[in-house]
Amino acid sequence: DGVNEDLIYVDADGGSDETGTGAASAPYKTISKALTTIDGPGDGAEDIICISGVFHETIMIPHSGVPGHYERDGFQFPKNPLMIIGWDKDGDGQYPPFVEDEIAVLDGQQVRDVAVDTIPGRHNSYIEISHLTIRDYGYRERVKSGAFKLFYNGGRESHVYIHDVELYNINRGHCCLRNHSNSIVLSFWGHPFTDVAFINNRVQDFGAYF
């Protein structure tokens, strides 16, 4: 589209939040640090966070991506979303999580509640999350959502695209509990929301509601 996108690189093993710049040659160490450096949709540039390694953190989505969409099979997908995506670090065109030589993992270590969260009261639209693994989140009772908490009452979310993501061991502590609708793997607890796509994801070993 003629706009140079804002690419920010994060490496859990070789990055630094103190000396890193977000360039591929000087990545940050945490996703949270990278998210504090992005400037939002106002300049028309897409913010793309490229991650490599294993991260023990909760991602807080700070704002929407650039408004706009394209259509595929009669469905609207975000054209220039805020993206969080596994990094093809060796540049061979093969992305995690379905290849052995690349890794991009959010690991809650059975102590963190939510992997990807949003801030209540903000509109979080035009978002894409892809090519990564989420595991071992949401073991406490009534954590609302172990994997994605993207939708809130009163929000106006639209054009969210989640694809090629593995989800393992989400809300496992709730597998035998009843009436735990607050413990959901993917939370749609809000309205209105439109054009939300989950495509080509793998989900194994989760408790309570999906």
Side-chain angles (χ1 to χ4, degrees):
D1 57 6
V3 177
N4 290 325
E5 315 299 3
D6 294 330
L7 287 149
I8 301 98
Y9 295 88
V10 187
D11 187 341
D13 298 319
S16 171
D17 286 349
E18 287 72 38
T19 61
T21 64
S25 58
Y28 295 120
K29 185 175 182 63
T30 65
I31 302 168
S32 298
K33 172 64 177 180
L35 288 171
T36 66
T37 69
I38 59 179
D39 53 12
D43 60 357
E46 180 179 359
D47 293 314
I48 304 174
I49 312 293
C50 307
I51 69 172
S52 176
V54 180
F55 300 87
H56 308 297
E57 54 184 301
T58 292
I59 297 174
M60 298 295 295
I61 303 294
H63 51 66
S64 297
V66 180
H69 66 268
Y70 66 93
E71 290 198 11
R72 190 175 80 210
D73 299 326
F75 194 86
Q76 294 184 5
F77 291 86
K79 185 177 181 180
N80 290 289
L82 165 60
M83 293 179 64
I84 299 172
I85 184 172
W87 178 4
D88 173 22
K89 203 170 181 183
D90 59 12
D92 65 356
Q94 301 296 314
Y95 288 80
F98 307 120
V99 293
E100 294 183 357
D101 62 339
E102 303 283 5
I103 184 170
V105 178
L106 302 179
D107 185 353
Q109 298 180 301
Q110 301 184 22
V111 295
R112 292 188 175 271
D113 290 341
V114 185
V116 182
D117 202 350
T118 50
I119 300 171
R122 296 189 184 180
H123 300 325
N124 292 97
S125 300
Y126 306 101
I127 295 169
E128 181 172 343
I129 299 171
S130 62
H131 294 288
L132 50 85
T133 297
I134 296 174
R135 69 190 184 203
D136 291 318
Y137 282 85
Y139 276 68
R140 292 194 313 154
E141 288 190 23
R142 295 188 175 277
V143 298
K144 187 64 176 176
S145 176
F148 296 101
K149 187 161 64 174
L150 301 176
F151 308 95
Y152 286 92
N153 285 318
R156 292 177 179 271
E157 290 79 14
S158 70
H159 301 88
V160 175
Y161 183 23
I162 296 174
H163 64 95
D164 297 288
V165 173
E166 291 183 324
L167 300 168
Y168 291 115
N169 298 328
I170 307 297
N171 298 344
R172 283 296 297 279
H174 312 310
C175 63
C176 302
L177 301 177
R178 298 179 179 178
N179 297 323
H180 271 237
S181 60
N182 271 356
S183 300
I184 308 171
V185 176
L186 309 173
S187 176
F188 282 78
W189 208 256
H191 63 84
F193 46 84
T194 63
D195 297 288
V196 179
F198 293 90
I199 297 177
N200 197 41
N201 302 293
R202 174 185 293 162
V203 186
Q204 276 187 222
D205 300 330
F206 64 93
Y209 287 74
F210 191 82

